[in-house]
Amino acid sequence: MKKLLALLLLTTLSAAYAGEKEIRTSLKSKFPDIPLGQITPTTYSGLYEVVIDDQLMYTDAKGDYLFNGSIVETKTRRNLSEERSKVLFAVDFKALPLELAVKRVKGNGKRKMAYFSDPNCSYCEKLEKELVNVTDVTLYI
């Protein structure tokens, strides 16, 4: 029984790898200049996730169609694309070069936030005004 399960798993992984290779070849032949990242099979409708730069897109098993947009599970109304993007493109806060940032501690500083700011940016100015009301935070700018 264990051998049968191992063989089934190996066959599934080999098929997934073959699909990824075929998709990569197909997409590269049609879009030679796009920086293809990882290609991963999804659990729904035979679709594959394709990471291109910092964007999550989808394709079919042959790489004939490439599309972007949200996939929503209708039963639960969960946005699967948004959930997956949060995992794929999450920034490891501990990996940020915080020693290069301007550090400002407000209150006890137990919460941490890092952001980029431009003195000539009106949106950055609005953010700065909102942050005046935030307490118990360490800001890295």
Side-chain angles (χ1 to χ4, degrees), residues 124-136:
C124 298
E125 187 178 333
K126 287 179 184 179
L127 175 63
E128 293 283 345
K129 287 179 183 175
E130 289 294 322
L131 290 175
V132 167
N133 301 320
V134 178
T135 60
D136 297 334

Side-chain angles (χ1 to χ4, degrees), residues 67-91:
F67 59 97
N68 65 358
S70 295
I71 294 180
V72 177
E73 184 180 57
T74 57
K75 185 177 181 180
T76 62
R77 295 184 179 188
R78 287 176 40 220
N79 185 332
L80 302 177
S81 300
E82 182 178 319
E83 290 176 10
R84 186 69 176 130
S85 290
K86 286 180 180 179
V87 170
L88 286 171
F89 306 117
V91 174

Side-chain angles (χ1 to χ4, degrees), residues 1-15:
M1 184 67 171
K2 287 183 181 179
K3 288 183 180 181
L4 180 61
L5 288 174
L7 182 60
L8 182 60
L9 179 63
L10 185 60
T11 304
T12 303
L13 290 174
S14 296

Side-chain angles (χ1 to χ4, degrees), residues 26-96:
S26 175
L27 291 176
K28 275 296 195 186
S29 72
K30 296 169 184 120
F31 302 99
D33 296 331
I34 63 171
L36 285 175
Q38 69 184 55
I39 298 172
T40 311
T42 67
T43 58
Y44 36 86
S45 302
L47 295 177
Y48 286 75
E49 295 176 349
V50 180
V51 175
I52 300 172
D53 277 334
D54 60 350
Q55 187 174 9
L56 176 60
M57 300 185 78
Y58 299 94
T59 189
D60 63 318
K62 293 186 178 182
D64 290 334
Y65 301 93
L66 183 65
F67 59 97
N68 65 358
S70 295
I71 294 180
V72 177
E73 184 180 57
T74 57
K75 185 177 181 180
T76 62
R77 295 184 179 188
R78 287 176 40 220
N79 185 332
L80 302 177
S81 300
E82 182 178 319
E83 290 176 10
R84 186 69 176 130
S85 290
K86 286 180 180 179
V87 170
L88 286 171
F89 306 117
V91 174
D92 181 8
F93 196 84
K94 294 176 183 170
L96 294 174

